[in-house]
Amino acid sequence: MENLNNTKAASHDLDALLSPEADKVTFKVPVIVDADGNPESGFIIVGRNSPEYREADKAVRIVNQKAAANRTKAIDLKTDAGAAKVVGIVDDQDVARAAAVVVDWFGWDKDGAPRPFDKSAMPKILTVKPTWLAKINAALMEDNNFLPVSPTSSEPSPSSN
């Protein structure tokens, strides 16, 4: 096991990470790329610490609790129908959380004109394109995608100008 006391670790500004601005950091998730791998179209998302994600997650859990309280009998997971019902519930939850974190998009047009962002379209888009849902969910799982950019030691500080 590595001795952490003898290694030089990166330092992070905890105050910056805990600031309200930190939860507004966005990340571009490309879903269509050109032949060289450059992003052409995709979605701009906020992370799991954002109010958008936390509210969607809470809403999903509330629906689960209400459904459980109103259920007269358990879902029979030994049957295809019961298992399919649970899979459908989980899929709907994934779509709800992912749609909630999309705050903008890029590279989409309609008849050659840039298409304005329509948050209400996101659940349908992510249901129709499950691979795009998977890309958003993968990006959400990487906390480094949502860390505020801090100045590096090679950049001049404001007081050195």
Side-chain angles (χ1 to χ4, degrees), residues 22-66:
D23 293 337
K24 296 176 185 162
V25 174
T26 60
F27 183 78
K28 284 187 172 185
V29 179
V31 295
I32 298 175
V33 297
D34 66 16
D36 296 324
N38 299 311
E40 289 188 345
S41 298
F43 305 99
I44 300 171
I45 65 172
V46 291
R48 291 180 294 162
N49 292 320
S50 68
E52 292 87 347
Y53 182 90
R54 293 188 305 194
E55 288 170 18
D57 187 56
K58 185 176 183 178
V60 161
R61 291 180 301 159
I62 288 170
V63 167
N64 286 345
Q65 294 302 313
K66 289 169 61 176

Side-chain angles (χ1 to χ4, degrees), residues 75-161:
I75 298 172
D76 186 357
L77 296 176
K78 293 180 259 172
T79 67
D80 287 345
K85 181 175 179 110
V86 171
V87 167
I89 290 168
V90 171
D91 287 348
D92 291 347
Q93 293 170 349
D94 284 348
V95 167
R97 287 184 189 105
V101 299
V102 177
V103 294
D104 204 355
W105 58 33
F106 62 94
W108 303 110
D109 66 51
K110 182 170 185 166
D111 300 324
R115 189 175 194 127
F117 177 60
D118 180 3
K119 190 165 187 75
S120 68
M122 290 311 305
K124 182 177 181 182
I125 291 169
L126 297 177
T127 300
V128 171
K129 295 289 191 183
T131 54
W132 296 359
L133 172 65
K135 288 179 182 197
I136 289 171
N137 283 334
L140 278 173
M141 292 302 117
E142 183 55 54
D143 277 342
N144 284 337
N145 290 342
F146 304 99
L147 294 178
V149 177
S150 59
T152 63
S153 59
S154 63
E155 295 177 1
S157 66
S159 61
S160 66
N161 290 342

